[in-house]
Amino acid sequence: MILVTGATGTVGREVVRRLPPDGPVRILTRRPDRAGDVADHIEVAVGDYGETRSLERALRGVRRVFLVTAGVGGDDDERFLRAARAADVRLIVKLSAAAVTNPGADDAITRWQRRCEALLRASGTEWTLLRPRAFMSNTLAWAPLIASGRPVSALYGTSLNSCVDPRDIADVAVRTLTEEGHEGRAYTLTGPEAVSAAQQTACLAELLGRPVPFEELDPARARAAYLRRYPEHVAEALLLGAEQQRDGAKARVEQTVREVTGRPARSYAEWAADHLRMFGSGVP
Ligand SMILES: NC(=O)c1ccc[n+]([C@@H]2O[C@H](COP(=O)([O-])OP(=O)(O)OC[C@H]3O[C@@H](n4cnc5c(N)ncnc54)[C@H](OP(=O)(O)O)[C@@H]3O)[C@@H](O)[C@H]2O)c1
């Protein structure tokens, strides 16, 4: 049995879609109504990282896990790893972040991901770490602006990020969950090239066939925008992460998607073309 956590989220949802239909799969969610229509071979376990009993139930009979946690600074990983050890789980494939390998990154999100990685390595359960660069899907946050003709804005908008398609992360995750030989490996996952927010905006404009204005955001406005969406420690971490990107720390391209899956990583243009209707393309 494979347990997919974060199964209603960006990456986990794609992992569930890709797992072979002949193996038993269970998904963990707090809100089963959000899971949508699940295939017949998929079991739904209702659970919350904050409730150990629900994790014990979800982990019964599970041998492999795709682990996604999102509570920055929290102790969800501790609780989950204890329950997984007690349930005799053999392998945990954890969604982490590329920033953990950057010695210059010392923000709250990266410190939390490093701590979670260390806990997993010391847990006694076999592990594989997936360390993606920024998700291409983060640009979906621009969709309401673009649909209503307002400018897209970003902090350090001409700095480069080798962002990755969540479908490629999921493809790698499925390989690591279903093949032997990925235990003890840490995979940094990027797209095929580094692109800036301004270039992503231009790409969307070309695909949509209409202008999409782009504006540089100054740090004070960026802080205010982050604080409207996130708690302060996360907002400050995102600002520090943007400074790392400004200084060139997020531009390196890795070949890991190709090495693990046997085909090249998808470009931002491919991701954008496949999600264009979410930007108000008029295509149903
Ligand atoms: N976005 C990026 O650019 C980026 C880059 C690198 C790394 N990451 C890392 O990727 C991870 C987030 O992945 P994602 O974007 O795929 O997820 P997401 O779309 O943010 O969704 C979060 C998932 O976590 C589940 N979840 C949250 N709290 C939970 C709880 N208390 N108990 C059980 N499940 C819980 C949610 O399930 P329910 O709501 O259904 O319960 C949901 O499926 C984070 O660790 C982040 O640091 C993100």
Side-chain angles (χ1 to χ4, degrees):
M1 173 75 76
I2 295 176
L3 177 70
V4 180
T5 72
T8 58
T10 305
V11 178
R13 186 180 291 276
E14 298 292 340
V15 171
V16 174
R17 277 195 194 127
R18 284 163 166 74
L19 281 169
D22 54 345
V25 175
R26 189 179 292 154
I27 65 172
L28 177 78
T29 176
R30 292 165 298 177
R31 296 166 294 177
D33 52 304
R34 297 255 325 252
D37 288 336
V38 288
D40 287 346
H41 70 286
I42 295 174
E43 288 178 20
V44 179
V46 180
D48 188 315
Y49 293 131
E51 294 165 13
T52 298
R53 294 291 293 277
S54 72
L55 300 179
E56 289 166 356
R57 277 195 302 274
L59 283 161
R60 214 163 282 155
V62 168
R63 290 296 165 264
R64 294 183 163 220
V65 173
F66 182 61
L67 178 59
V68 179
T69 54
V72 174
D75 50 11
D76 291 343
D77 287 70
E78 276 99 323
R79 260 190 309 278
F80 188 89
L81 295 179
R82 261 200 308 275
R85 184 88 175 122
D88 201 22
V89 167
R90 302 291 157 79
L91 173 73
I92 295 180
V93 177
K94 175 165 171 64
L95 186 61
S96 179
V100 300
T101 62
N102 172 10
D106 190 27
D107 60 87
I109 299 174
T110 307
R111 287 199 303 270
W112 165 70
Q113 290 285 22
R114 286 195 189 110
R115 183 167 62 79
C116 293
E117 285 196 0
L119 284 169
L120 176 55
R121 287 173 192 269
S123 69
T125 305
E126 293 270 25
W127 50 266
T128 304
L129 296 168
L130 305 187
R131 295 169 169 167
R133 198 40 89 202
F135 300 173
M136 291 174 179
S137 53
N138 292 351
T139 58
L140 284 172
W142 301 341
L145 302 171
I146 294 175
S148 61
R150 282 172 291 164
V152 166
S153 56
L155 180 59
Y156 314 127
T158 56
S159 64
L160 297 173
N161 189 307
S162 55
C163 54
V164 59
D165 189 324
R167 296 173 298 181
D168 285 335
I169 305 171
D171 284 338
V172 172
V174 168
R175 293 287 188 138
T176 61
L177 287 164
T178 58
E179 297 175 349
E180 300 304 317
H182 299 286
E183 300 81 2
R185 306 290 301 273
Y187 294 131
T188 299
L189 304 174
T190 74
E193 62 190 339
V195 290
S196 67
Q199 288 168 333
Q200 289 173 313
T201 307
C203 174
L204 289 167
E206 192 180 328
L207 290 167
L208 289 164
R210 57 185 158 82
V212 178
F214 179 82
E215 268 178 17
E216 178 62 30
L217 198 59
D218 67 63
R221 279 180 60 212
R223 172 176 274 112
Y226 286 145
L227 284 171
R228 279 196 294 275
R229 287 182 62 189
Y230 303 106
E232 193 172 352
H233 67 298
V234 175
E236 293 301 333
L238 292 171
L239 290 166
L240 288 172
E243 288 175 13
Q244 288 295 313
Q245 178 167 319
R246 175 199 63 195
D247 296 344
K250 302 190 180 187
R252 189 185 154 102
V253 170
E254 306 286 347
Q255 300 304 320
T256 326
V257 170
R258 186 197 291 273
E259 287 160 7
V260 175
T261 67
R263 51 143 198 86
R266 295 170 174 93
S267 66
Y268 182 74
E270 282 175 88
W271 179 88
D274 291 343
H275 295 83
L276 206 56
R277 68 187 163 72
M278 299 173 93
F279 293 91
S281 66
V283 177

